[in-house]
């Protein structure tokens, strides 16, 4: 298990690096903004693997599904408060869609992250068993992502 | 200047008199409704497909609280802010005393039991195409929901929009227009049309509005700026939304876009509803959207 987590962390760092390379934030908090966006990119990347199978675009592969769900789970445990410094909202700086409301309701943001972790833990349990379990568990994850984007991320 | 004002007043009065007649609230044709009995389980489907909870639950309600229709959410518009009323089955503060016919008149023609016009912030322009049987089922279902004794908050709209009677004129221009896609090619597309144009009221956000706040049916589902505040509603016509039908259906189920970002903004609550529909419904919505004209012929 420990070994797997380590591996996941390595994968995450590699993908994170890719995401860092193509983000456009500038200014005082550019690094922090890139880092938190990279965490989101890791979510999307792993969900892409799982969702591709759930949608029927890719063949179900229980090992790959379990690995992606594991990576996703690890990514939700990354807690980097330093990447959310005061003043790095979209009203104060460029290159971010983080709304100022995040800093007014930091506790709620934490609760929403926790909800995501809970939904992802369920996905982690079921992704590797069979396709139907994967399909059933991915919906609540999408709901948890959306529940935070609605109040805290600006529209494009 | 004074004279001009007086003429204006006179013209205004005549217009008012004519308007008073033209703007009188008229009830919907409810033939057959009496004989219908409501099915609670089907009513739950109508409730989800029509997204009533997204507007009538308490502000920021989640989970089970979405079924407590206490009202209180605010809807800013260029004409002022409207507040959704309590439509829980409370006889005092909600619609516990309403008959099926009362609900049908509200949804089909935007008229209250005592004959006043509703503001179109309540999307009855879309619901006007709802089937009577669906309204009977919906009524049966809504009466099983929890009671809330939350009093209604009055709208924050200035004169002249505060005069409900004036809405009659607006309705003359905008109500009762029927379907936009008149001849759906298949049964599936017809089902999708019902879910999108009538119950789902998708156009209320995804179709641009004219200066008076009416839906611009010539630019059906072509997106546009949010009327108040920042941001925009994306277009859903196939030339601009290049997703496959499967991608659209999957988005309506999980909120995931084809690149596995997740939906945001007002669409999150729509997806809370569409995710509860059977898969055939989401496929039908996608099939309908894929057939929309993109306007390239007339632009």
């Amino acid at each position: 298990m420990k070994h797997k987590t380590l591996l996941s962390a390595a994968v995450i760092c590699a993908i994170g690096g890719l995401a860092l390379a193509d983000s456009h934030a500038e200014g005082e908090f550019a690094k922090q903004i890139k880092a938190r966006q990279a965490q989101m990119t890791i979510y999307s990347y792993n969900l892409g693997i799982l969702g591709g199978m759930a949608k029927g675009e890719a063949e179900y592969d229980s090992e790959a599904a379990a690995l992606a769900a594991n990576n996703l789970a690890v990514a939700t445990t990354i807690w980097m408060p330093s990447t959310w410094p005061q003043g790095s909202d979209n009203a104060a700086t460029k290159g971010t869609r983080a709304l100022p409301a995040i800093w007014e309701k930091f506790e709620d943001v934490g609760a929403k992250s926790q909800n995501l972790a809970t939904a992802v833990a369920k996905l982690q349990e079921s992704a590797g068993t069979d396709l139907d379990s994967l399909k059933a568990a991915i919906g609540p994850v999408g709901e948890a992502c959306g529940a935070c984007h609605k109040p805290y991320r600006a529209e494009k | 200047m004074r004279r001009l004002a007086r003429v204006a007043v006179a013209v205004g009065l005549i217009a008012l008199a004519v308007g008073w007649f033209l703007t009188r609230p008229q009830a919907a044709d409810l033939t057959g409704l009496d004989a219908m009995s409501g099915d609670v389980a089907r009513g739950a489907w109508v409730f989800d497909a029509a997204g009533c909870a997204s507007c009538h639950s308490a502000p920021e309600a989640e989970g089970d609280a979405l079924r407590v229709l206490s009202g209180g959410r605010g809807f800013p518009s260029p004409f002022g802010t409207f507040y959704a009323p309590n439509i829980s089955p409370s006889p005092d503060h909600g619609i516990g005393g309403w008959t099926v016919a009362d609900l049908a008149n509200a949804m089909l023609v935007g008229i209250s039991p005592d004959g006043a016009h509703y503001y179109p912030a309540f999307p009855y322009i879309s619901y006007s195409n709802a089937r009577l049987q669906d309204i009977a089922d919906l009524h049966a279902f809504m009466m099983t929901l929890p009671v809330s004794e939350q009093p209604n908050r009055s709208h924050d709209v200035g004169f002249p929009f505060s005069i409900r009677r004036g809405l009659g004129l607006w309705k003359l221009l905008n109500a009762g227009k029927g379907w936009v896609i008149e001849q759906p090619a298949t049964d599936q597309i017809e089902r999708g049309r019902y879910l999108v144009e009538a119950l789902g009221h998708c156009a209320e956000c995804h179709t641009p509005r004219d200066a008076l706040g009416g839906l611009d049916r010539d630019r059906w589902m072509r997106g546009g700026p949010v009327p108040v505040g920042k941001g925009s509603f994306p277009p859903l016509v196939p030339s601009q939304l290049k997703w496959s039908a499967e991608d659209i259906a999957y988005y309506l189920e999980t909120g995931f876009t084809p690149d596995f970002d997740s939906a945001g903004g007002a669409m999150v609550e729509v997806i809370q509803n569409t995710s509860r529909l059977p898969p055939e419904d989401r496929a039908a919505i996608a099939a309908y959207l894929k057939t929309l004209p993109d306007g390239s012929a007339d632009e």
Side-chain angles (χ1 to χ4, degrees), chain A residues 44 47-48 51 54-55 57 105 112 138 142 145-146 149-150 153 155, chain B residues 60 62 232 247 250 254 256 258-265 268-269:
Chain A
S44 288
L47 278 161
K55 273 166 115 171
E57 283 166 359
K105 297 191 183 170
K112 299 244 168 0
I138 203 169
C145 310
H149 289 161
K150 181 173 184 283
R153 183 176 75 169
E155 279 163 44
Chain B
E60 294 175 40
E62 284 173 30
S232 59
D247 287 339
Y250 198 66
T254 61
F256 289 125
D259 4 307
F260 288 85
D261 190 352
S262 92
V268 170
E269 281 176 296

